[in-house]
Amino acid sequence: MRTTHQLIVNYQLLLKKYWGYDDFRGIQREIIESIGSGHDTLGLMPTGGGKSITFQVPAMAMEGVCIVITPLVALMKDQIYHLWQKGIKAACIHAAMSHNEIVTTLENAIFGGVKFLYVSPERLSTELFQAKLQHMKVCFICVDEAHCICQWGYDFRPSYLEIANIRKLLPQTPLLALTATATPEVVNDICDKLRMTDDDLAPCNSNSGIRNSFRVFRMSFERKNLIYVVRRTDDKMQQLIHILSHVEGAAIVYVRSRERTKDTAEALCKAGLSATFFHAGLDSSQKDERQKAWLLGNTRIIVATNAFGMGIDKPDVRLVIHIDCPDSIEAYFQEAGRAGRDGRKAYAVLLYNHSDAAKLTKRINDQYPPKQFIKDIYDQLAYFYQIGVGAGYGCIFEFPMQRFCSAYKRFPIQVESALHILTRAGYIEYREEEECKARVMFTLERDDLYRLKGNDAQEDAVIVALLRNYTGLFNGFCYIDESILSLQTGLTLPQIYLTLKSLHAKHILQFIPQKKTPYVHYTQRREQSEHIIIPPQVYDDLKERFAQRIQQMIRYASTSDQCRSEMLLSYFGETDTHPCNQCDVCLEQKEDKEKNERIQLAQQAILDLLSDKVPHPISVIHSIPMDYTPLEEALRRLVNENIIYTTDDGCLCLTS
């Protein structure tokens, strides 16, 4: 049996071998030793704290597959790509995969062909996954973005609640939960929902602690190299250009809407800055191309919605600028934290003006429209799909948001919010922009394909990769994974996309690019709208908590007398805080302090001059060897406080 010392040495050897680091940092070692010893563990680490190391290193030292639950397919693919580069076997399962692909991946995990199995939370509840899971040797389960399990949190994902059921299937398997944004209240809820302990959880105020068999490790969220700034301005675009022109280095600019990403990027380009835009509505080839150009430094600035950034491995971002206020401190902290992950000085700037508070407050009613509005949307949804009362159970429909809103004269933001609330109430399931994979079918017969001439090397490579990886391509459309074709051919994803388009144009195959489409799934028969019940836990309680987060965001943006870093740290439950001495508030207070010190020196100089109790002409203050501005303010204060006075003939005298 290996000793604790041997395990620690083994962890460090693995860290050096695969990741090239000599030692762990922060609380990485403590988390690794805890999960490696079989303890349920929660790690609270800021963005850039090295969360992936805490589950990848111990898994490499243990037998069996590590199951990693994470909500973002892009994040899965990014981490799998980096693991493959290190020679580590990894795979993923998500909704866009075909049944055969999922079965193959699960079988590989059962027979030892996969070390890390990344799973989207929606896949956890499927019978196929749960059946195969019971035949796997699992070393531990890792839950990334664990705050998503909190039902009243800022980023709740209902599918995360399925994790508790997975634990029942693997009762002896330890669990590691990781998050970069959790208040003390959220920490307790994570522990409760993940059922890490059967007993009641006491509040945990320490940096680390043991709650029965459950271990919590908290790394301070303080980022000493990150300078927080709130810049008040009526012309945000002018201020944005000014900041980007005076601070060098890679930058992310966050905006709220897809349309605004394009408009802002174009304005920056017109100002002579290198910029592009990114949002979830772009097709995969565009997203990959723009993200890669930014990562490589070919494009300096990327203007994006919050769909961009999670899991992006670019440590040298010098600037993160928010044109629009996020809905919560949690969201702001996570997005701002993408700056300066290399430990060098970086800036997180929030542009704010007098109208932002009203815009933030309006989001409360946008996010939680009146209950009657929600019931009206439920009725109109039934009219749209022609579903009668008592019908519709189990039906799944594509949901064309713009067409629906146009038909019933509704605004998309409130419609989407109503659909989410109806989902939480259990009447429907609204799946927002579910990715539909690309599809391919050969239009030539196999023999004709072999006799083809005139194709370039890239086209031939893609054809060969398709034939090696997929069957039935001559009989009908098959779903394909462009990332697999990319890996096998050595071509980039944009090159794969363009090559498939070229083969389509030559009538060699038919290619349907992947797209994202929202879906509505009726989980109950249609009810009369007057019988719809929207309980407090899915509306009133959540609305109140959302309003509180909005108010905290407004407070952060509008406060000018408390250190920005201290405000953020105290929000996340840290009590041992201190001024950062570098945010806009600290610098302004420092400047005010220095100004007051100069004025006090000027006051004393004037009093020393008048200490002979003889009237002096007011012009005598010019003989004092100091700047005139503090002297003028000092003179004004002394007169206002009736310490000195001026005579009718313009002389200064001490007041008796």
Side-chain angles (χ1 to χ4, degrees), residues 22 51 103 116 118 142 159 161 175 247 272 309 340 349 398 437 453 511 547 561 572 610 632 643 651:
D22 293 320
K51 288 189 297 177
V103 170
F116 293 93
Y118 286 77
C142 175
S159 51
L161 297 174
L175 184 145
V247 179
V349 182
E398 284 193 17
K437 292 183 68 173
K453 294 181 180 180
F511 170 52
D561 59 358
F572 290 110
L610 300 179
E632 185 180 39
I643 297 172
C651 290

Side-chain angles (χ1 to χ4, degrees), residues 466-478:
L466 285 169
L467 293 172
R468 283 179 177 171
N469 287 280
Y470 303 99
T471 59
L473 289 167
F474 297 93
N475 300 322
F477 280 103
C478 291

Side-chain angles (χ1 to χ4, degrees), residues 25-28 45-52 54 219 223 341:
R25 58 191 175 96
I27 58 173
Q28 287 177 334
M45 307 173 72
T47 301
K51 288 189 297 177
S52 61
T54 64
M219 183 177 175
R223 296 282 303 279
R341 291 172 61 172

Side-chain angles (χ1 to χ4, degrees), residues 170-394:
L170 302 172
Q172 303 303 316
T173 303
L175 184 145
L176 170 62
L178 299 168
T179 181
T181 49
T183 63
E185 191 179 17
V186 170
V187 168
N188 283 329
D189 199 51
I190 290 171
C191 300
D192 181 52
K193 293 295 191 303
L194 291 177
R195 297 181 185 175
M196 292 179 168
T197 175
D198 294 330
D199 300 320
D200 291 335
L201 293 168
C204 179
N205 297 318
S206 60
N207 286 343
S208 63
I210 300 177
R211 301 174 185 169
N212 301 320
S213 64
F214 171 58
R215 298 188 173 188
V216 181
F217 298 93
R218 182 190 296 274
M219 183 177 175
S220 174
F221 286 178
E222 182 179 15
R223 296 282 303 279
K224 293 182 179 180
N225 66 307
L226 187 54
I227 300 171
Y228 297 101
V229 177
V230 175
R231 186 65 59 85
R232 292 172 177 80
T233 175
D234 289 328
D235 190 341
K236 291 189 177 184
M237 185 55 64
Q238 183 274 331
Q239 190 64 229
L240 176 67
I241 293 170
H242 173 80
I243 294 170
L244 289 168
S245 299
H246 287 80
V247 179
E248 297 181 350
I252 306 173
V253 178
Y254 281 111
V255 298
R256 276 195 67 82
S257 70
R258 295 178 180 182
E259 295 78 9
R260 198 166 184 184
T261 61
K262 182 180 180 182
D263 294 342
T264 303
E266 288 177 349
L268 294 177
C269 290
K270 286 180 182 178
L273 298 167
S274 170
T276 188
F277 64 95
F278 184 103
H279 56 72
L282 299 173
D283 64 49
S284 294
S285 62
Q286 288 177 308
K287 286 191 285 190
D288 289 332
E289 183 179 8
R290 293 174 189 190
Q291 181 173 300
K292 186 175 181 180
W294 180 74
L295 287 170
L296 294 174
N298 298 328
T299 301
R300 181 193 163 203
I301 304 157
I302 192 158
V303 184
T305 59
N306 62 4
F308 178 81
M310 192 173 291
I312 298 301
D313 185 18
K314 186 169 176 63
D316 61 342
V317 177
R318 303 270 66 86
L319 265 171
V320 171
I321 303 176
H322 283 79
I323 293 183
D324 303 309
C325 287
D327 292 337
S328 66
I329 293 290
E330 290 94 334
Y332 178 71
F333 187 78
Q334 188 172 65
E335 291 160 14
R338 289 165 189 153
R341 291 172 61 172
D342 57 3
R344 294 172 52 213
K345 182 189 288 187
Y347 296 87
V349 182
L350 173 63
L351 302 182
Y352 188 76
N353 61 34
H354 64 280
S355 66
D356 283 324
K359 290 177 183 177
L360 280 169
T361 303
K362 181 179 179 296
R363 288 181 204 167
I364 300 171
N365 287 329
D366 284 342
Q367 197 83 7
Y368 294 91
K371 290 182 180 180
Q372 186 56 53
F373 176 91
I374 297 169
K375 293 178 180 181
D376 291 343
I377 293 298
Y378 180 79
D379 278 340
Q380 290 166 352
L381 202 63
Y383 304 152
F384 190 72
Y385 295 122
Q386 297 185 337
I387 297 174
V389 174
Y393 174 72

